């Protein structure tokens, strides 16, 4: 009789909560008693008990009453060791449930080379490195999330892997999950398809440290964003650490929901700046040291690493690739690594890095960024909304090209070089106090240099 009433209530719930929600949340429930106005239901997992009580308690009560059950209250508790409820019409057979804490985490493999030891620290990445170290200590959470951002190949993934390595070495009891945002989406879609969404939720909420790489990937992907948001909140509420990386600041990721954006900004947001000469040289020296062990007998002439650090400014990945090729080539042909050899062997990389940014390109990108007309960049308008982007473009032209001030003036509608100088100074001054402007310029620089 009790089961029959529950059957009717469940049928009604399918109509009220929808088929998918029903098969995920209602179908796995089992009614175990209906006494003294209390309907006792059991769910297969703890997470499900909480979720269903919070989200479906009321509808379940109503549906039971409509089915004629004299119910005042519904309780949902963990069904100890029983087989999951099967409702064949709506739910494909579910895998036997194991508590999330006992399951392997669906993380991406970690690169064994990406450790703190192999990470070279310089001015452009020192804050990111310090913050990553702090998280890797595994102590109480001080900032949540840690949001690392920066252009291509500047070490975001390296730092995240380093955190994961360190945590598993020092705190093997912690459940650390590292994966890319793309993998997060893939797992989520798969869970939806296989009707395992509850397991998915439970698993992601069972970790101590969650690291999601390249989060910009989920922008514009609505249900993944939604799920990410809930996972994020649940973990933050439980005081678990979250580390996120992206190729730009939270405020600059288009099509990211506002609530996620503001959540991401809540913790510590750190920028990995483009490398400077010293950092590039440091990285090259470290790598060359390691290569010397693999290629004993190879001679590296003075000045080669300095030359590469000076000429290859794009990103660390390219820099590393150049060095790898150089060592392999030199060992194959049995020659000393000299400047000439480097120029010969790396001609294509050096040419690509030589790409000069033009003033026209700067004007176009800045106009696009601030949503003003390109013609206004060089036109006479003095409106602040146009004059400021124009000054930004002047500033970038000075810093990213080798053009002289009079030449820049000519490209900006024949303006005098003193006007250009004034514009550049103005931006310099403003950047010291206006962090939004400083960020805009950082972003535009990266856009232009990549
Ligand atoms: N400071 C550094 N010291 C040593 N190696 C570095 C440093 N920064 C980057 N690298 C190396 O450069 C390569 C690219 O770094 P990584 O994959 O972490 O970049 P990323 O910022 O995640 O970029 P992307 O978004 O393109 O994946 C890696 O091989 C990494 O080890």
């Amino acid at each position: 009789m009790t089961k029959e009433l529950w059957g009717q209530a469940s049928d009604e719930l399918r109509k009220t909560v929808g088929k998918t929600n029903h098969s995920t949340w209602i179908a796995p429930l089992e009614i175990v008693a209906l006494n003294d106005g209390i309907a006792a239901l059991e769910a297969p997992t703890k997470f499900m008990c909480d979720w269903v009580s919070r989200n479906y308690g009321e509808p379940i009560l109503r549906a039971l009453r409509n089915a004629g059950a004299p119910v005042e209250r519904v309780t949902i508790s963990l069904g100890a060791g029983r087989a999951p409820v099967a409702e064949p019409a709506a739910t494909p057979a579910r895998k036997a449930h194991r508590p999330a804490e006992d399951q392997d985490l669906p993380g991406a493999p970690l690169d064994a080379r990406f450790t703190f030891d192999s990470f070279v620290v310089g001015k452009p990445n020192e804050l990111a490195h310090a913050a990553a170290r702090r998280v890797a200590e595994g102590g109480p959470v001080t900032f949540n999330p840690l949001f690392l951002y920066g252009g291509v190949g500047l070490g975001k993934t390296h730092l995240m892997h380093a955190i994961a390595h360190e945590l598993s070495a020092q705190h093997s009891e912690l459940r650390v999950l590292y994966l890319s945002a793309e993998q997060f989406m893939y797992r989520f879609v798969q869970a939806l398809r296989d009707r395992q969404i509850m397991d998915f939720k439970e698993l992601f909420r069972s970790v101590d440290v969650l690291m999601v790489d390249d989060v910009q990937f989920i922008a514009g992907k609505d249900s993944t964003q939604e799920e990410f948001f809930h996972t994020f909140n649940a973990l933050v509420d439980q005081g678990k650490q979250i580390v996120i990386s992206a190729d730009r600041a939270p405020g600059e990721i288009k099509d990211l929901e506002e609530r996620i954006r503001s959540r991401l900004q809540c913790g510590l947001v750190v920028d990995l700046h483009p490398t400077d000469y010293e950092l590039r040289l440091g990285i090259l020296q470290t790598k060359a040291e390691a290569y010397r062990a693999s290629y004993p007998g190879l001679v590296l002439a003075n000045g080669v690493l300095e030359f590469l650090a000076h000429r290859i400014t794009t990103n660390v990945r390219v820099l590393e690739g150049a060095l790898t090729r150089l060592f392999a080539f030199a060992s194959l042909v049995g020659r000393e690594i000299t400047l000439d050899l480097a120029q010969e062997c790396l001609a294509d990389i050096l040419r690509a890095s030589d790409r000069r940014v033009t003033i026209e390109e700067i004007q176009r990108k800045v106009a696009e960024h601030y949503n003003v007309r390109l013609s206004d960049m060089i036109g006479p308008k003095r409106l602040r909304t146009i004059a400021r982007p124009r000054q930004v473009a002047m500033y970038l032209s000075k810093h990213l090209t080798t053009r002289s001030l009079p030449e820049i003036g000519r490209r900006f509608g024949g303006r005098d070089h003193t006007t250009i100088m004034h514009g550049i100074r103005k931006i310099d001054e403003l950047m010291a106090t206006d962090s939004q402007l400083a960020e805009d310029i950082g972003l535009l620089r990266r856009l232009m240099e990549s």
Side-chain angles (χ1 to χ4, degrees):
M1 180 63 185
T2 305
K3 289 231 160 40
E4 221 166 82
L5 285 172
W6 173 239
Q8 281 177 38
S10 175
D11 285 344
E12 183 188 320
L13 282 162
R14 186 178 297 115
K15 288 181 211 127
T16 50
V17 304
K19 216 167 144 190
T20 312
N21 283 331
H22 182 271
S23 61
T24 310
W25 303 113
I26 308 296
L29 301 176
E30 194 176 10
I31 193 150
V32 287
L34 186 56
N35 294 323
D36 303 331
I38 298 174
L41 295 164
E42 282 186 356
T45 70
K46 170 86 178 61
F47 172 73
M48 196 171 170
C49 295
D50 298 343
W51 183 273
V52 173
S53 306
R54 222 170 328 127
N55 295 284
Y56 297 108
E58 267 302 308
I60 290 175
L61 183 66
R62 232 175 301 126
L64 277 166
R65 281 184 184 157
N66 291 344
V71 203
E72 294 302 319
R73 201 152 63 85
V74 173
T75 64
I76 300 170
S77 54
L78 184 62
R82 72 182 170 76
V85 175
E87 193 164 354
T91 325
R94 284 167 42 84
K95 286 189 201 141
H97 189 82
R98 277 195 293 151
E101 290 73 16
D102 298 342
Q103 291 182 32
D104 289 338
L105 292 174
L110 298 176
D111 191 318
R113 294 166 306 169
F114 292 180
T115 60
F116 281 119
D117 279 347
S118 63
F119 191 82
V120 181
V121 185
K123 266 255 156 289
N125 60 21
E126 64 180 345
L127 185 55
H129 172 259
R133 279 271 190 199
R134 179 81 191 72
V135 169
E137 283 169 13
V141 173
T142 38
F143 33 76
N144 220 358
L146 167 60
F147 188 98
L148 299 169
Y149 76 95
V152 175
L154 294 180
K156 302 179 292 290
T157 302
H158 189 136
L159 279 179
M160 288 180 115
H161 286 207
I163 296 175
H165 285 309
E166 187 74 12
L167 283 171
S168 34
Q170 306 298 333
H171 297 274
S172 54
E173 75 285 1
L174 291 179
R175 285 167 62 79
V176 180
L177 175 56
Y178 163 86
L179 78 177
S180 67
E182 187 176 2
Q183 285 162 330
F184 179 86
M185 184 186 86
Y186 174 75
R187 302 247 164 230
F188 172 60
V189 171
Q190 196 179 32
L192 280 177
R193 204 185 48 215
D194 298 346
R195 312 226 167 140
Q196 303 265 321
I197 197 68
M198 192 185 63
D199 292 1
F200 173 92
K201 283 177 187 289
E202 195 170 4
L203 197 65
F204 274 87
R205 283 156 176 72
S206 74
V207 303
D208 297 302
V209 182
L210 175 67
M211 298 201 258
V212 181
D213 211 346
D214 288 324
V215 82
Q216 74 279 352
F217 180 86
I218 63 164
K221 310 205 168 58
D222 293 345
S223 19
T224 306
Q225 283 197 56
E226 171 93 22
E227 190 53 41
F228 176 74
F229 180 70
H230 293 311
T231 306
F232 187 103
N233 286 342
L235 289 175
V236 171
D237 287 350
Q238 293 175 56
K240 308 295 188 186
Q241 177 73 56
I242 297 178
V243 184
I244 305 282
S245 89
D247 63 355
R248 62 201 75 183
E252 279 156 6
I253 306 179
K254 280 208 185 89
D255 296 328
L256 193 66
E257 273 186 47
E258 195 44 50
R259 55 186 185 159
I260 298 185
R261 197 190 305 274
S262 62
R263 272 291 185 160
L264 292 177
Q265 284 164 333
C266 273
L268 180 66
V269 178
V270 251
D271 183 358
L272 281 139
H273 296 274
T275 55
D276 57 14
Y277 173 78
E278 288 80 5
L279 178 59
R280 288 194 295 275
L281 186 60
I283 292 172
L284 285 170
Q285 284 167 341
T286 312
K287 310 259 170 199
E289 206 50 57
Y291 278 133
R292 280 212 185 94
S294 329
Y295 298 97
L298 260 193
V299 181
L300 177 65
N302 281 339
V304 174
L305 297 184
E306 287 77 2
F307 167 76
L308 295 181
H310 182 68
R311 291 289 301 275
I312 304 177
T313 54
T314 36
N315 73 57
V316 182
R317 201 174 282 126
V318 177
L319 202 60
E320 277 183 344
L323 199 65
T324 310
R325 196 200 294 177
L326 197 53
F327 270 87
F329 184 73
S331 95
L332 278 176
V333 296
R335 279 164 57 187
E336 180 181 344
I337 303 180
T338 58
L339 265 183
D340 282 349
L341 185 88
Q343 273 170 331
E344 183 188 330
C345 161
L346 304 173
D348 55 334
I349 298 181
L350 294 171
R351 243 196 330 273
S353 301
D354 242 7
R355 201 180 75 85
R356 291 259 168 267
V357 184
T358 63
I359 293 179
E360 287 68 27
E361 204 178 334
I362 293 173
Q363 291 172 331
R364 205 178 52 242
K365 291 260 164 64
V366 174
E368 246 169 48
H369 180 81
Y370 287 104
N371 215 1
V372 299
R373 286 212 195 92
L374 185 57
S375 55
D376 284 339
M377 278 278 157
I378 49 178
K381 286 189 188 153
R382 284 157 167 256
L383 266 171
R384 163 87 63 88
T385 49
I386 290 166
R388 192 70 81 230
R390 187 188 292 135
Q391 288 171 335
V392 168
M394 291 173 180
Y395 173 92
L396 289 170
S397 300
K398 177 76 189 90
H399 288 279
L400 299 180
T401 74
T402 49
R403 305 285 172 210
S404 64
L405 291 181
E407 233 175 315
I408 296 175
R410 272 197 293 284
R411 307 291 184 90
F412 279 83
R415 287 178 159 80
D416 191 68
H417 77 277
T418 52
T419 312
I420 306 298
M421 204 153 61
H422 168 77
I424 296 168
R425 281 219 193 103
K426 184 84 205 159
I427 295 298
D428 259 330
E429 277 166 30
L430 286 173
M431 270 169 68
T433 51
D434 182 344
S435 60
Q436 177 61 50
L437 181 70
E439 235 181 56
D440 278 356
I441 289 183
L443 175 79
L444 285 162
R445 238 177 204 275
R446 281 201 297 282
L447 261 178
M448 238 78 76
E449 284 175 339
S450 59

